[in-house]
Amino acid sequence: MLGNSLTGFNNIDTIVVGGGHAGVEAALAAARTGCKVLLITMNKQTIGRMSCNPSIGGLAKGQMVREIDALGGAMGKAADITGTQFKLLNKSKGRAVWSPRAQVDKREYEKHIHKTVTSHNNITVVEGEVVSPIIKKGRAAGVTMSNQDKIISKSVVLTNGTFLNGLIHIGDKKIPAGRMGEVRSEGITESLSSLGFKHGRLKTGTPPRLNRETINWSILDIITGDEKPAPFSHFHSLFNPPNTPSHSVNTNERVHNIIWENINRSPMYSGEILGVGPRYCPSIEDKINRFKERNAHRLICEPEWKNSDQIYLNGFSTSLPEKIQLEALQKIKGFESVSLIKPGYAIEYDYFFPNQLKTTLETKTYKNLYLAGQINGTSGYEEAAIQGLIAGANAGLFCLGLGPITLSRSDAYGGVLIDDLITKSTPEPYRMFTSRAENRLILRFTNANKRLSLKAFSSMLINKKQHNTMQEQTKEVMALIKYCDKTITTTQANPILKKINEKEITQKTKLKELIKRPSVSLEMFVSMKTKKLKVRQPYVDEVVLEADTEIKYSGYIRRINKQTKKILNNEALLLNSEIKYDNISGLSKEAQEKLNKSKPENMGQAMKISGVTISDAAVLSVYISKKQRVSRET
Amino acid sequence: MPLGDTIVARSTPYGYGGIAVVRLSGVNSIKILKKISRQIKTPVSRVAQKTKIYHKKNILDETIVVCYTKPRSFTGEDMVEISCHGSPFIVDGIINECIDLGARSAGPGEFTRRAFENGKIDLIQAESIANTIAASSKAGLFNAISGLGGEMSNAIKGTASDITELLSYCEHLLDVSDVDIQKDNKLYISKKTSEINKKVLKLIENYDTCRVLTYGAIVVLAGKTNSGKSTLFNALVGNKRSIVNKTAGTTRDYVDANISISGVPIRLVDTAGVRRSKSAIESAGIDNSIMLIEKADVVCLVRDVSVKDDTYVVDIIKLKNDNIIYINNKSDLIKKVGYKKKKDLYMYISAINQTGISSLKRAILQQLNVEKIPNKLSGVSTPRQYECIADCIKSLANTNNKIKNGFQLELICYELENALRSVNSLLGVETEDLVLNNMFNSFCVGK
Ligand SMILES: Nc1nc2c(ncn2[C@@H]2O[C@H](COP(=O)(O)OP(=O)(O)O)[C@@H](O)[C@H]2O)c(=O)[nH]1
Ligand SMILES: [Mg+2]
């Protein structure tokens, strides 16, 4: 017996610790599989709180929110309902990297999520502080609370990693987190360490919050959202969000000079922490350093909620001393007499090396114990949410005795995220970028349904109706593509081509061939009204866009699929966790050490570990096939 | 192929010679040496030591051995080099002794493969070793050696880092949401792409020359039977190798010889000749001829001026190869048959009198693009290297196309990534195992 079990909490399947974005999706996902879930949070009021920027989505993250939605998650729908302005980003850079983003009302968002969680039949929410998971015979069996109460469960998901042992830096000033209004979790680092988990420390930054009254709004540039907004969720029957304008300012050389002169006083300055490389930390210090030739950067003033006094200055993440921040900001047109409600700052916190996890986000050492969110070293709501969803789903599926759900790199940005986390030890907060996904040409926001609905359905994360809705949309896309196989005559095509200054055709041509031209689009030739699509707005536009893209990129898509298949063949080779790598002669010392430490599950993961060369991989694959041969013979 | 075990092979040519070298590489190399020598108890790395080598109680040979402890050896593993007397009996005896003690007979190129896999050399250097062995000319040898020294590798590494840098720039641009692509970004990307392209083109500028100098060229004599191919063959080789006969169709299969024209190694092939034939054996020979014509670097199309043309033959050859030297043979008969010299593609020779042979030789060198051999030559020389560069150039061309055509940055990144992959595979940074196996298998054993 495990001491006195907390009354009223019997027969719990899954305990989720923490009510942030990871915790919310974890609890909901486990609940969707049919499990009884107990969500333990330090403060019920903060469930689903957006502690930083008042927006959801953005580059690569927008695609991820779509994936969360396709997997039945809550984030997309909540953002759609509480969004104040919607915009597709990266329109100038190619359609596969177009990313939806929404400005949201933080307070409304939080309210909506709170309701979603607390109204779910399978979820019980309780306030309390968890100090440690209970481990019995190498398995998680519940949690111990700070008052020594024990709650028993079949699986445990820890998502309580928001700024573990947080320490704030503003210039050379250091403040333990908590005083800045951030939640600070303590205690869990120690208990996980004592279970043998290794941890490290990370830094991340935020921009300052400005006082609304002190900005000269009348001279700022106005930004409006898209006229035809794209929703995050696949399941609306109506989508008609507001298009609240936001305002932008530009930095200038005087601003840059002040920052440049004081750059050494910024503990976040990536030049020291990260070194160079394509992946970067988007602080203003870093931007100025990287784009020396550019004399202005655009900053966006985002109200945190309706009529909020507090303005989030997007694009100006910094950890310079408060005085310097103010001095620099006041050189901006419109900010001449600006004052700060909260300065920008860097925060340092603990995280657990995520290479101690499996693709399911279960820990390698203890069964039924899952880790998700900032505790794994990621930053951002979306990154946390997708991990929470996968961890929670697996914690639930386990309780039901069902197989796990995993995402691969060619399935989803979420798959890239988890794979990167567990195979690469990046010593920086992990933020999703499109450049992290080698398959980004096929990971589009318009095809998350096609990529994930079957997976979601077979893991009970969505119901039959949701599955059908997504399938229907995929079918419509395929029908449109098929339709474009038909030929079009010169008299039909040329007037349209002429209008857009495109080279006219001299003979009958397949519609597909015309659409492959960069500046020709499907819409020009197919009237959706006459085509009578089965899907309705807001999804008509994305069906058309998706079909257009599939046609335009068909050559690329074919090449990528071929490459992926080839890689998967090899990557799928399983590596038993019992393998003693130091006994394999031919492996380099470095590879032996790293493989022993991270115990990859398959060849694909092994190849990605830095320090494991192709020749190591060759040695490994020979070793594995030899072993398989031997075990077959005996 | 198990890696890391101990391998053994002779690394000097087979047969009788003054000295032969037997190489051992792998974990047990030094242990095996201790057993077969009995005298060497504590071998010192990189010091030559004299020792007897035994088979049971008998002395096999008196040898000089050098041990190399890892990682300071050619393969990066423990290694032993035994210099023994060159008799095959001694060499085989020593190798058998090693095999009895657990070593395995090395496959072709296995030593070099290990050096590559242990990071001692890169792929280009590995190929250079193969080329040094194969190099049939002095200039080719120079190219091979410059590859071995890493000159080529450095040039390619430079290109790889240029592409990486440009790719990083583009990737970064993709991931900055508040910045739209501007004219200066486009200009920069376009300028860098063409700079890189120029550098890459330079790497294959001398490909033909390098390849010919390293591996030699194949020159095939083709034409109607009885036109004088075999006579010309003998004239070029300098002795009578091919049978010359008045009855058409004497040379039923092909005959070849290695010759050198001004230092350029050439494999000269005399074929059965092309003609309409009914005899089965002969037509088999003719099929062979056509295959050889396809493979040739240069085809010498030989015609007999004293008989009427058969355009069929010329057409068939033209179909199979574009590098043709047109030759009118038997020019000594011109007067006799009343043939009028025409100003056309054909050059006139008399194989039997050996006139016009030196201008033919010059024409061959010209056709091979090696009439002037630069005294310092460096560039890619193997088909694999050429293919990688060609792939890279193709990807760069695609990049350029995407820059000009709508400027789709994500596609530009995709193409640049492919360009980078091609260049990296040139260095073996990410080459698949298949390619590797292929490459190392073409080595001779013991290297
Ligand atoms: N007059 C003359 N006869 C030649 C010349 N070259 C070859 N022949 C003769 O032509 C005949 C056929 O020669 P051969 O080399 O066997 O021709 P192949 O069938 O093309 O190989 C032989 O009798 C040769 O002696 C030449 O330059 N002048
Ligand atoms: Mg002949």
Side-chain angles (χ1 to χ4, degrees), chain A residues 124 138 186 322 329 346 382 492 495 525 538 598 621:
Chain A
T124 310
E186 276 170 90
E322 188 170 350
L329 287 173
E382 302 80 358
Q492 288 170 309
F525 293 94
S598 60
S621 69

Side-chain angles (χ1 to χ4, degrees), chain B residues 17-117:
Chain B
I19 297 273
V21 175
V22 173
R23 264 181 172 177
L24 276 157
S25 177
V27 272
N28 290 326
S29 308
I30 292 174
K31 212 163 90 195
I32 290 171
L33 171 70
K34 282 189 204 165
K35 286 220 174 115
I36 58 175
S37 78
R38 295 182 205 176
Q39 287 162 333
I40 297 181
K41 296 263 150 56
T42 45
V44 191
S45 187
R46 301 173 156 265
V47 172
Q49 282 168 285
K50 210 168 127 183
T51 179
K52 294 190 178 91
I53 288 192
Y54 295 84
H55 169 66
K56 294 188 181 148
K57 283 198 174 137
N58 309 323
I59 297 170
L60 262 175
D61 194 14
E62 189 126 8
T63 66
I64 305 286
V65 301
V66 184
C67 296
Y68 302 88
T69 48
K70 70 174 183 185
R72 290 191 60 208
S73 73
F74 171 68
T75 57
E77 304 174 321
D78 282 345
M79 270 187 82
V80 173
E81 276 181 8
I82 306 169
S83 307
C84 57
H85 293 97
S87 135
F89 301 109
I90 294 175
V91 175
D92 291 346
I94 295 176
I95 290 176
N96 284 338
E97 212 55 25
C98 294
I99 289 173
D100 285 347
L101 290 168
R104 173 173 62 77
S105 175
E110 222 178 335
F111 287 95
T112 313
R113 184 182 177 123
R114 288 182 179 200
F116 167 71
E117 285 177 341

Side-chain angles (χ1 to χ4, degrees), chain A residues 93 96 294 434-435 553 556, chain B residues 171 175-176 179 402 410 415:
Chain A
K93 298 168 194 171
R294 191 153 283 176
T434 62
S435 51
Y553 284 21
Y556 284 94
Chain B
E171 291 281 355
D175 277 327
V176 188
V179 191
K402 294 289 173 252
E410 20 128 60
E415 295 297 353

Side-chain angles (χ1 to χ4, degrees), chain A residues 95-108:
Chain A
R95 50 183 66 211
V97 294
W98 289 2
S99 308
R101 177 182 186 274
Q103 197 67 39
V104 302
D105 184 316
K106 277 186 173 186
R107 290 193 171 160
E108 291 300 320

Side-chain angles (χ1 to χ4, degrees), chain A residues 59-60 89-90 92-97 277-280 286-287 290-291 293-294 297-300 315 431 433-436 438 440-441 518 552-553 556 559-560 563 566 585-586 613-615 618-619 621-622 626, chain B residues 1-5 27 113 116-119 167-169 171-182 184-185 395 398 402 405-411 413-415 417-418 421 428-433 436:
Chain A
L59 295 188
L89 301 184
N90 252 0
S92 69
K93 298 168 194 171
R95 50 183 66 211
V97 294
R279 292 79 161 111
Y280 78 126
D286 193 66
K287 276 191 226 172
R290 212 172 247 278
F291 293 106
E293 73 282 359
R294 191 153 283 176
H297 291 279
R298 193 163 75 153
L299 310 174
I300 302 170
R431 179 192 148 115
F433 291 119
T434 62
S435 51
R436 297 195 194 263
E438 66 280 24
R440 64 177 161 230
L441 295 185
K552 278 202 171 62
Y553 284 21
Y556 284 94
R559 270 160 79 187
I560 291 171
Q563 280 166 355
K566 211 158 92 193
S585 59
T613 63
I614 30 162
S615 39
V619 173
S621 69
V622 168
K626 227 166 86 184
Chain B
M1 186 191 327
L3 295 159
D5 59 349
V27 272
R113 184 182 177 123
F116 167 71
E117 285 177 341
N118 290 323
L167 185 57
S168 305
Y169 179 91
E171 291 281 355
H172 190 250
L173 209 55
L174 265 190
D175 277 327
V176 188
S177 60
D178 57 351
V179 191
D180 270 347
I181 297 177
Q182 287 165 14
D184 60 332
N185 301 128
S395 299
N398 286 344
K402 294 289 173 252
N405 221 329
F407 204 90
Q408 292 155 289
L409 188 57
E410 20 128 60
L411 299 184
C413 289
Y414 180 80
E415 295 297 353
E417 242 167 66
N418 282 332
R421 200 171 304 142
V429 176
E430 236 177 32
T431 317
E432 285 148 49
D433 215 37
L436 278 185

